[in-house]
Short mmCIF file of all heavy atoms in Angstrom, two decimals:
data_model
loop_
_atom_site.label_atom_id
_atom_site.label_comp_id
_atom_site.label_asym_id
_atom_site.label_seq_id
_atom_site.Cartn_x
_atom_site.Cartn_y
_atom_site.Cartn_z
N CYS A 1 58.47 -14.57 -5.28
CA CYS A 1 59.07 -15.19 -4.09
C CYS A 1 59.17 -16.69 -4.29
O CYS A 1 58.21 -17.34 -4.70
CB CYS A 1 58.23 -14.89 -2.85
SG CYS A 1 58.25 -13.16 -2.37
N LYS A 2 60.33 -17.23 -3.97
CA LYS A 2 60.55 -18.66 -4.12
C LYS A 2 60.59 -19.38 -2.77
O LYS A 2 60.47 -20.59 -2.73
CB LYS A 2 61.84 -18.92 -4.88
CG LYS A 2 61.75 -18.47 -6.32
CD LYS A 2 63.01 -18.79 -7.08
CE LYS A 2 62.79 -18.41 -8.54
NZ LYS A 2 63.86 -17.71 -9.14
N THR A 3 60.80 -18.64 -1.69
CA THR A 3 60.88 -19.26 -0.37
C THR A 3 59.99 -18.50 0.60
O THR A 3 59.62 -17.34 0.36
CB THR A 3 62.32 -19.24 0.17
OG1 THR A 3 62.71 -17.88 0.41
CG2 THR A 3 63.30 -19.92 -0.79
N ILE A 4 59.71 -19.15 1.72
CA ILE A 4 58.92 -18.49 2.76
C ILE A 4 59.70 -17.30 3.32
O ILE A 4 59.12 -16.26 3.61
CB ILE A 4 58.57 -19.50 3.87
CG1 ILE A 4 57.60 -20.55 3.32
CG2 ILE A 4 57.97 -18.80 5.08
CD1 ILE A 4 57.32 -21.70 4.25
N GLU A 5 61.01 -17.45 3.43
CA GLU A 5 61.84 -16.36 3.94
C GLU A 5 61.73 -15.12 3.05
O GLU A 5 61.65 -13.99 3.54
CB GLU A 5 63.31 -16.79 4.07
CG GLU A 5 63.55 -17.81 5.16
CD GLU A 5 63.08 -19.22 4.81
OE1 GLU A 5 63.05 -19.57 3.60
OE2 GLU A 5 62.71 -19.95 5.73
N GLU A 6 61.74 -15.34 1.72
CA GLU A 6 61.58 -14.21 0.80
C GLU A 6 60.22 -13.55 0.99
O GLU A 6 60.11 -12.32 0.95
CB GLU A 6 61.73 -14.67 -0.65
CG GLU A 6 63.14 -15.00 -1.06
CD GLU A 6 63.24 -15.50 -2.49
OE1 GLU A 6 62.21 -15.50 -3.22
OE2 GLU A 6 64.34 -15.89 -2.91
N CYS A 7 59.19 -14.36 1.19
CA CYS A 7 57.85 -13.82 1.43
C CYS A 7 57.82 -12.97 2.70
O CYS A 7 57.25 -11.87 2.71
CB CYS A 7 56.83 -14.94 1.55
SG CYS A 7 56.46 -15.79 0.02
N LYS A 8 58.44 -13.48 3.76
CA LYS A 8 58.45 -12.74 5.03
C LYS A 8 59.17 -11.41 4.89
O LYS A 8 58.69 -10.38 5.39
CB LYS A 8 59.13 -13.58 6.12
CG LYS A 8 58.28 -14.73 6.60
CD LYS A 8 59.02 -15.53 7.67
CE LYS A 8 58.20 -16.72 8.11
NZ LYS A 8 58.90 -17.53 9.12
N GLU A 9 60.31 -11.42 4.22
CA GLU A 9 61.07 -10.19 4.03
C GLU A 9 60.26 -9.17 3.22
O GLU A 9 60.21 -7.99 3.57
CB GLU A 9 62.39 -10.48 3.33
CG GLU A 9 63.40 -11.18 4.20
CD GLU A 9 64.67 -11.55 3.43
OE1 GLU A 9 64.98 -10.88 2.42
OE2 GLU A 9 65.33 -12.52 3.84
N LEU A 10 59.63 -9.63 2.14
CA LEU A 10 58.83 -8.73 1.32
C LEU A 10 57.63 -8.22 2.10
O LEU A 10 57.29 -7.04 2.03
CB LEU A 10 58.38 -9.43 0.03
CG LEU A 10 57.53 -8.60 -0.91
CD1 LEU A 10 58.25 -7.31 -1.32
CD2 LEU A 10 57.16 -9.42 -2.15
N TYR A 11 56.99 -9.10 2.86
CA TYR A 11 55.85 -8.68 3.67
C TYR A 11 56.24 -7.56 4.62
O TYR A 11 55.54 -6.55 4.74
CB TYR A 11 55.28 -9.87 4.45
CG TYR A 11 54.22 -9.45 5.43
CD1 TYR A 11 52.92 -9.17 5.00
CD2 TYR A 11 54.51 -9.28 6.78
CE1 TYR A 11 51.95 -8.74 5.90
CE2 TYR A 11 53.54 -8.86 7.68
CZ TYR A 11 52.27 -8.60 7.23
OH TYR A 11 51.30 -8.17 8.11
N LYS A 12 57.37 -7.71 5.30
CA LYS A 12 57.83 -6.69 6.25
C LYS A 12 58.07 -5.36 5.54
O LYS A 12 57.69 -4.29 6.05
CB LYS A 12 59.10 -7.14 6.96
CG LYS A 12 58.85 -8.24 7.98
CD LYS A 12 60.16 -8.71 8.58
CE LYS A 12 59.95 -9.91 9.49
NZ LYS A 12 61.22 -10.41 10.03
N ARG A 13 58.70 -5.42 4.36
CA ARG A 13 58.95 -4.18 3.60
C ARG A 13 57.65 -3.52 3.17
O ARG A 13 57.48 -2.31 3.29
CB ARG A 13 59.82 -4.48 2.37
CG ARG A 13 61.29 -4.67 2.68
CD ARG A 13 62.18 -4.55 1.44
NE ARG A 13 61.66 -5.17 0.23
CZ ARG A 13 61.99 -6.38 -0.21
NH1 ARG A 13 62.85 -7.12 0.47
NH2 ARG A 13 61.48 -6.86 -1.33
N LEU A 14 56.73 -4.33 2.66
CA LEU A 14 55.45 -3.78 2.20
C LEU A 14 54.62 -3.24 3.36
O LEU A 14 53.97 -2.20 3.23
CB LEU A 14 54.66 -4.85 1.44
CG LEU A 14 55.22 -5.29 0.10
CD1 LEU A 14 54.45 -6.49 -0.44
CD2 LEU A 14 55.20 -4.14 -0.90
N ALA A 15 54.64 -3.94 4.49
CA ALA A 15 53.85 -3.51 5.64
C ALA A 15 54.28 -2.14 6.14
O ALA A 15 53.45 -1.36 6.63
CB ALA A 15 53.95 -4.55 6.76
N LYS A 16 55.55 -1.82 5.99
CA LYS A 16 56.05 -0.52 6.46
C LYS A 16 55.43 0.64 5.70
O LYS A 16 55.35 1.75 6.22
CB LYS A 16 57.57 -0.47 6.34
CG LYS A 16 58.27 -1.33 7.37
CD LYS A 16 59.77 -1.28 7.20
CE LYS A 16 60.43 -2.20 8.22
NZ LYS A 16 61.89 -2.24 8.04
N THR A 17 55.01 0.39 4.47
CA THR A 17 54.41 1.48 3.70
C THR A 17 52.90 1.29 3.47
O THR A 17 52.18 2.26 3.32
CB THR A 17 55.08 1.61 2.32
OG1 THR A 17 54.95 0.38 1.61
CG2 THR A 17 56.54 1.99 2.46
N MET A 18 52.44 0.05 3.50
CA MET A 18 51.04 -0.21 3.17
C MET A 18 50.11 -0.25 4.38
O MET A 18 48.89 -0.14 4.23
CB MET A 18 50.91 -1.52 2.39
CG MET A 18 51.55 -1.49 1.04
SD MET A 18 51.33 -3.05 0.15
CE MET A 18 49.61 -2.92 -0.30
N HIS A 19 50.66 -0.45 5.58
CA HIS A 19 49.82 -0.56 6.76
C HIS A 19 49.05 0.75 6.96
O HIS A 19 49.61 1.84 6.77
CB HIS A 19 50.67 -0.87 7.99
CG HIS A 19 49.85 -1.32 9.14
ND1 HIS A 19 49.19 -0.45 9.97
CD2 HIS A 19 49.56 -2.58 9.58
CE1 HIS A 19 48.54 -1.14 10.89
NE2 HIS A 19 48.75 -2.43 10.68
N PRO A 20 47.77 0.65 7.36
CA PRO A 20 46.98 1.86 7.57
C PRO A 20 47.60 2.83 8.58
O PRO A 20 47.47 4.05 8.43
CB PRO A 20 45.64 1.32 8.07
CG PRO A 20 45.56 -0.05 7.51
CD PRO A 20 46.96 -0.57 7.48
N ASP A 21 48.29 2.30 9.57
CA ASP A 21 48.94 3.18 10.55
C ASP A 21 50.12 3.95 9.95
O ASP A 21 50.61 4.91 10.54
CB ASP A 21 49.43 2.38 11.76
CG ASP A 21 48.28 1.83 12.59
OD1 ASP A 21 47.14 2.30 12.40
OD2 ASP A 21 48.53 0.93 13.42
N MET A 22 50.58 3.48 8.79
CA MET A 22 51.71 4.13 8.13
C MET A 22 51.24 4.95 6.92
O MET A 22 52.02 5.32 6.07
CB MET A 22 52.73 3.09 7.66
CG MET A 22 53.25 2.20 8.78
SD MET A 22 54.01 3.13 10.11
CE MET A 22 55.61 3.40 9.42
N GLY A 23 49.94 5.17 6.84
CA GLY A 23 49.38 5.99 5.77
C GLY A 23 48.85 5.21 4.58
O GLY A 23 48.42 5.78 3.59
N GLY A 24 48.89 3.87 4.67
CA GLY A 24 48.39 3.05 3.57
C GLY A 24 46.89 2.81 3.66
O GLY A 24 46.25 3.14 4.66
N SER A 25 46.38 2.24 2.64
CA SER A 25 44.95 1.93 2.55
C SER A 25 44.65 0.60 3.25
O SER A 25 45.38 -0.37 3.07
CB SER A 25 44.56 1.84 1.07
OG SER A 25 43.42 1.05 0.89
N THR A 26 43.57 0.58 4.01
CA THR A 26 43.16 -0.65 4.69
C THR A 26 42.88 -1.76 3.68
O THR A 26 43.31 -2.90 3.86
CB THR A 26 41.91 -0.40 5.56
OG1 THR A 26 42.22 0.61 6.51
CG2 THR A 26 41.47 -1.66 6.28
N ASP A 27 42.21 -1.43 2.59
CA ASP A 27 41.87 -2.43 1.58
C ASP A 27 43.12 -2.99 0.89
O ASP A 27 43.23 -4.19 0.68
CB ASP A 27 40.92 -1.84 0.53
CG ASP A 27 39.53 -1.56 1.09
OD1 ASP A 27 39.17 -2.17 2.13
OD2 ASP A 27 38.82 -0.72 0.51
N ASP A 28 44.04 -2.10 0.53
CA ASP A 28 45.28 -2.55 -0.12
C ASP A 28 46.11 -3.42 0.82
O ASP A 28 46.64 -4.45 0.41
CB ASP A 28 46.12 -1.36 -0.59
CG ASP A 28 45.50 -0.62 -1.76
OD1 ASP A 28 44.59 -1.19 -2.41
OD2 ASP A 28 45.92 0.52 -2.02
N PHE A 29 46.20 -3.00 2.08
CA PHE A 29 46.97 -3.78 3.05
C PHE A 29 46.32 -5.16 3.24
O PHE A 29 47.02 -6.18 3.27
CB PHE A 29 47.08 -3.06 4.39
CG PHE A 29 47.85 -3.85 5.41
CD1 PHE A 29 49.24 -3.87 5.38
CD2 PHE A 29 47.21 -4.60 6.37
CE1 PHE A 29 49.97 -4.61 6.30
CE2 PHE A 29 47.92 -5.35 7.29
CZ PHE A 29 49.30 -5.35 7.26
N GLN A 30 45.00 -5.18 3.35
CA GLN A 30 44.30 -6.45 3.56
C GLN A 30 44.50 -7.37 2.36
O GLN A 30 44.72 -8.57 2.53
CB GLN A 30 42.81 -6.22 3.80
CG GLN A 30 42.06 -7.48 4.19
CD GLN A 30 42.54 -8.06 5.51
OE1 GLN A 30 42.61 -7.35 6.50
NE2 GLN A 30 42.85 -9.34 5.53
N ALA A 31 44.46 -6.82 1.16
CA ALA A 31 44.68 -7.63 -0.05
C ALA A 31 46.10 -8.20 -0.06
O ALA A 31 46.30 -9.39 -0.36
CB ALA A 31 44.43 -6.79 -1.30
N MET A 32 47.07 -7.38 0.31
CA MET A 32 48.46 -7.84 0.36
C MET A 32 48.62 -8.92 1.43
O MET A 32 49.24 -9.95 1.22
CB MET A 32 49.39 -6.66 0.64
CG MET A 32 50.88 -6.98 0.65
SD MET A 32 51.55 -7.52 2.24
CE MET A 32 51.35 -6.09 3.28
N PHE A 33 48.03 -8.69 2.61
CA PHE A 33 48.12 -9.66 3.70
C PHE A 33 47.46 -10.98 3.32
O PHE A 33 47.99 -12.06 3.59
CB PHE A 33 47.48 -9.09 4.98
CG PHE A 33 47.51 -10.05 6.12
CD1 PHE A 33 48.69 -10.27 6.82
CD2 PHE A 33 46.37 -10.75 6.49
CE1 PHE A 33 48.73 -11.18 7.88
CE2 PHE A 33 46.40 -11.65 7.54
CZ PHE A 33 47.58 -11.87 8.24
N ASP A 34 46.30 -10.92 2.68
CA ASP A 34 45.61 -12.14 2.24
C ASP A 34 46.46 -12.93 1.26
O ASP A 34 46.55 -14.16 1.34
CB ASP A 34 44.25 -11.80 1.61
CG ASP A 34 43.23 -11.29 2.63
OD1 ASP A 34 43.46 -11.47 3.84
OD2 ASP A 34 42.22 -10.70 2.20
#
């Protein structure tokens, strides 16, 4: 990612699959969020 906007877009895409409510792991989601 080169811009904050790219980071936000990627975060939204990743959150859709990595969030614990979407079947992802809490640890993996927390690492990605951090």
Side-chain angles (χ1 to χ4, degrees):
C1 293
K2 293 183 175 135
T3 66
I4 293 172
E5 291 75 28
E6 287 178 5
C7 289
K8 287 179 182 179
E9 288 175 26
L10 180 57
Y11 172 78
K12 288 176 186 177
R13 282 197 320 262
L14 292 171
K16 288 178 182 177
T17 58
M18 294 181 74
H19 194 278
D21 291 346
M22 303 302 279
S25 155
T26 302
D27 291 338
D28 290 344
F29 179 80
Q30 187 63 51
M32 183 272 296
F33 178 76
D34 291 344

